Amino acid sequence: MNRVSVLCSLWGNKYSVDYVNKLYNMVKKNCPMPFDFYCQTDHDGLLPQIERIDFDSELPESTPHEMQASDNYINGLPRLWDRPKLNYWKPKCWGIDGIKIAFDIDVLILNNLEPIFEQYFAQDKAFTGRSWWHNMEHEALPQWRRRYGARNNGGFYMWQDHQVKGIWDDLIENYKFIYFCFHGGSDNFISTRHLDKFAFVSHEHMYSFNRGVKWPDDLAMWQYRPEKIICVFNTDVGYPLHKDIHNSSEAFPWIKEYWQ
Amino acid sequence: MDTFTMDRMIIPVWEWSNALNLIAHKFPYRYKDFAQSISRHHWQHKSNLVEQISMINTHESPVVYVLGSWYGAVLVPLLMHHIPDIKKLYLFDYDPEALEICYTLHERYNHIIKRQLVDVNFEIDKLKSYEEQPNIVINTSCESMWNMNDLLLGPNVLHALQGNNFPETSHINAVPNMDIFKSRCGLTDIMYENEKPYDVDSAHTMYTLIGINHE
């Protein structure tokens, strides 16, 4: 039977290994296929079932240390601040091949991932979350394009290397310009230059805790939606109504039931 | 032959009717963007730029490249008026809808305009590979692009560059002052420089440089 490789990344001090360990537990509970779980990090304290992998350094200025040390900052953050996640697109990175899944470490998995896997296999295309909760009229505006606005949500990716051919070559060739232009993060990069390589997880399976399910009719915040599979906690910096998963779990006991 | 008044108007605004109809019919969500493109400060800064170019330029029948041309609503008619012997005007932008509107907007000049769908930040080599290279390069949105010193198109080409320090998400390269703007533009021979308020009552600044890179 096929195995799937689950990837995540942890750097800096905003999050702890606890997030990774909880993610592992949620995957273990809900993954319909045998899996290996990897975390790209230099932190200690991972569960023994998690294989720690080093920050790949082929992509220039992509390790947390290099990123922090550069003077390429905007709004207090390094431009394209989540560069370590770009290593996911390197073919056979860390010697990992086959079907891969990448999660952000602050997602919640509510139910078995099987329907998402079925959708992925049926389409034979790389897979990511779509920001269905975005105001699509805003997305159509020229200003959205001008600021290289994101349309996908990178809290979840599922792919095989042959389905994302070209992303890594683009990064190696244009990293200097990519870091500079897509200062909002890797989702902006994927959305602007490579979105045609991806199909999207249905809004029936994925939602945002802070933004809802689908524009324009279902945008209620902070909802418990037990029928969904993945819940992301994307926040706008400085917006007090957006809650991260840690604070949410204090305020909403149901989150703790899943996030452990 | 039109009326005395129409013949003397620099900008044939009645020809914008078709473009506005196109926007209303096909791109209604762009009407604010178009309105912004013809606001007062765009006229002020772009007319100043083109007037200066027309005095500095020594090339006859120049080939002109405009990087990040948007609709060209202001720049194109100004260039045609002040440099009437332009041989070819290349407009480069990464926004296909803007280029489509631009086509309708400047129908009377379409025989010398060539539009290219290009993201200058990533495809400058494509521009450098064109057989017809420019005598004049204009970029009025340096604040939205990579540093011009990496995007300059050859020695002895007159570059007319504008950037600002207006804070906006799309302004990935806003400049805090003229010295930094100069260092990012890389012109070795500056023939004109200017800094003016970005807009009426604005606390922000528009920086303008015209010159050549001899290296």
Side-chain angles (χ1 to χ4, degrees):
Chain A
M1 190 176 188
N2 278 337
R3 294 182 74 83
V4 59
S5 299
V6 180
L7 302 163
C8 67
S9 297
L10 168 68
W11 68 93
N13 52 19
K14 182 177 178 182
Y15 301 102
S16 67
V17 287
D18 197 35
Y19 285 67
V20 180
N21 293 339
K22 285 176 177 172
L23 178 63
Y24 171 82
N25 290 334
M26 290 187 289
V27 171
K28 188 181 176 192
K29 191 174 173 189
N30 293 296
C31 187
M33 289 169 65
F35 69 94
D36 300 303
F37 196 103
Y38 303 90
C39 182
Q40 181 183 213
T41 189
D42 51 12
H43 286 239
D44 294 322
L46 298 173
L47 290 170
Q49 300 91 329
I50 301 172
E51 184 173 338
R52 187 167 80 178
I53 48 179
D54 292 334
F55 291 101
D56 193 83
S57 59
E58 183 182 345
L59 184 63
E61 295 177 34
S62 69
T63 67
H65 176 71
E66 290 170 324
M67 190 168 69
Q68 304 289 343
S70 83
D71 57 1
N72 202 0
Y73 274 61
I74 191 167
N75 302 328
L77 281 173
R79 286 178 187 257
L80 214 163
W81 56 273
D82 58 348
R83 292 178 213 174
K85 287 164 62 181
L86 296 171
N87 291 327
Y88 298 158
W89 311 119
K90 178 178 174 179
K92 293 185 182 174
C93 195
W94 305 289
I96 300 169
D97 205 357
I99 302 162
K100 305 177 196 181
I101 291 177
F103 281 112
D104 278 350
I105 57 174
D106 61 343
V107 302
L108 210 57
I109 304 175
L110 302 164
N111 282 301
N112 195 286
L113 291 158
E114 188 159 9
I116 290 179
F117 278 40
E118 284 173 0
Q119 202 188 342
Y120 168 75
F121 287 118
Q123 298 186 85
D124 192 24
K125 203 172 179 187
F127 219 28
T128 184
R130 177 72 167 92
S131 303
W132 300 113
W133 47 82
H134 278 173
N135 182 325
M136 295 298 162
E137 289 178 359
H138 289 174
E139 273 200 12
L141 291 174
Q143 289 85 346
W144 195 280
R145 179 182 179 82
R146 217 167 283 146
R147 63 185 179 86
Y148 296 120
R151 299 170 198 272
N152 75 305
N153 180 279
F156 172 82
Y157 287 108
M158 187 169 186
W159 76 100
Q160 295 168 77
D161 287 342
H162 71 273
Q163 294 168 330
V164 294
K165 216 173 170 185
I167 298 181
W168 185 250
D169 292 343
D170 185 23
L171 285 163
I172 293 296
E173 188 177 342
N174 296 306
Y175 71 92
K176 187 172 69 165
F177 304 104
I178 288 168
Y179 296 167
F180 194 79
C181 293
F182 305 111
H183 58 80
S186 55
D187 296 350
N188 301 66
F189 160 66
I190 291 294
S191 285
T192 304
R193 291 179 72 77
H194 297 286
L195 203 58
D196 60 334
K197 297 173 177 64
F198 292 88
F200 303 119
V201 178
S202 164
H203 55 83
E204 291 175 2
H205 298 145
M206 188 169 175
Y207 79 106
S208 166
F209 183 74
N210 289 308
R211 300 166 203 247
V213 180
K214 193 170 188 293
W215 181 85
D217 297 323
D218 191 357
L219 299 175
M221 302 168 74
W222 310 340
Q223 298 299 300
Y224 176 36
R225 302 176 188 268
E227 76 283 9
K228 304 294 184 194
I229 298 172
I230 296 172
C231 175
V232 295
F233 286 75
N234 45 341
T235 59
D236 282 342
V237 177
Y239 184 45
L241 293 183
H242 281 176
K243 298 173 185 293
D244 63 26
I245 191 170
H246 178 77
N247 290 330
S248 305
S249 70
E250 299 298 321
F252 298 91
W254 64 266
I255 292 178
K256 271 190 179 160
E257 289 176 25
Y258 294 93
W259 198 50
Q260 51 184 301
Chain B
M1 188 67 167
D2 281 314
T3 64
F4 181 85
T5 304
M6 291 167 81
D7 284 343
R8 276 150 189 78
M9 286 177 71
I10 292 176
I11 314 296
V13 290
W14 58 92
E15 291 180 6
W16 290 6
S17 177
N18 286 345
L20 290 168
N21 271 321
L22 175 68
I23 292 169
H25 173 69
K26 194 171 175 183
F27 309 110
Y29 48 88
R30 297 193 75 113
Y31 75 96
K32 280 188 180 174
D33 192 57
F34 185 80
Q36 192 194 340
S37 78
I38 53 172
S39 61
R40 186 186 183 282
H41 72 278
H42 282 291
W43 284 102
Q44 186 186 29
H45 296 303
K46 289 184 171 69
S47 58
N48 176 55
L49 187 78
V50 176
E51 287 163 14
Q52 297 301 329
I53 294 170
S54 69
M55 289 188 281
I56 294 169
N57 173 49
T58 56
H59 292 284
E60 288 183 13
S61 304
V63 173
V64 180
Y65 280 14
V66 179
L67 314 184
S69 55
W70 205 4
Y71 306 105
V74 176
L75 206 53
V76 169
L78 284 171
L79 283 167
M80 295 304 178
H81 177 78
H82 289 285
I83 314 175
D85 65 337
I86 286 178
K87 181 183 171 192
K88 204 80 177 173
L89 177 59
Y90 287 79
L91 304 178
F92 301 100
D93 204 280
Y94 63 11
D95 183 340
E97 293 177 356
L99 290 180
E100 185 174 341
I101 292 164
C102 173
Y103 185 89
T104 305
L105 191 63
H106 304 300
E107 268 193 288
R108 72 156 59 190
Y109 307 121
N110 276 347
H111 60 291
I112 63 162
I113 293 177
K114 200 166 172 56
R115 297 171 184 81
Q116 296 286 333
L117 188 65
V118 162
D119 187 339
V120 174
N121 279 326
F122 293 94
E123 297 175 278
I124 194 69
D125 289 340
K126 197 171 172 183
L127 274 62
K128 289 177 179 172
S129 73
Y130 289 154
E131 197 172 320
E132 195 165 40
Q133 284 298 299
N135 306 110
I136 301 171
V137 172
I138 299 172
N139 182 354
T140 60
S141 47
C142 293
E143 71 282 354
S144 301
M145 294 184 197
W146 178 258
N147 297 333
M148 275 305 296
N149 54 19
D150 275 351
L151 307 179
L152 297 177
L153 283 153
N156 303 318
V157 174
L158 189 67
H159 284 80
L161 310 173
Q162 288 182 322
N164 62 60
N165 59 3
F166 189 81
E168 192 180 290
T169 314
S170 65
H171 291 179
I172 56 177
N173 201 2
V175 283
N177 58 55
M178 179 59 99
D179 286 341
I180 290 178
F181 187 51
K182 282 181 182 174
S183 71
R184 292 180 187 176
C185 286
L187 301 175
T188 55
D189 182 6
I190 293 173
M191 298 158 174
Y192 175 83
E193 66 177 87
N194 176 285
E195 46 189 288
K196 285 187 172 178
Y198 180 71
D199 201 352
V200 179
D201 301 329
S202 172
H204 302 101
T205 305
M206 175 70 88
Y207 303 99
T208 300
L209 287 174
I210 301 176
I212 285 172
N213 177 33
H214 287 299
E215 290 170 355

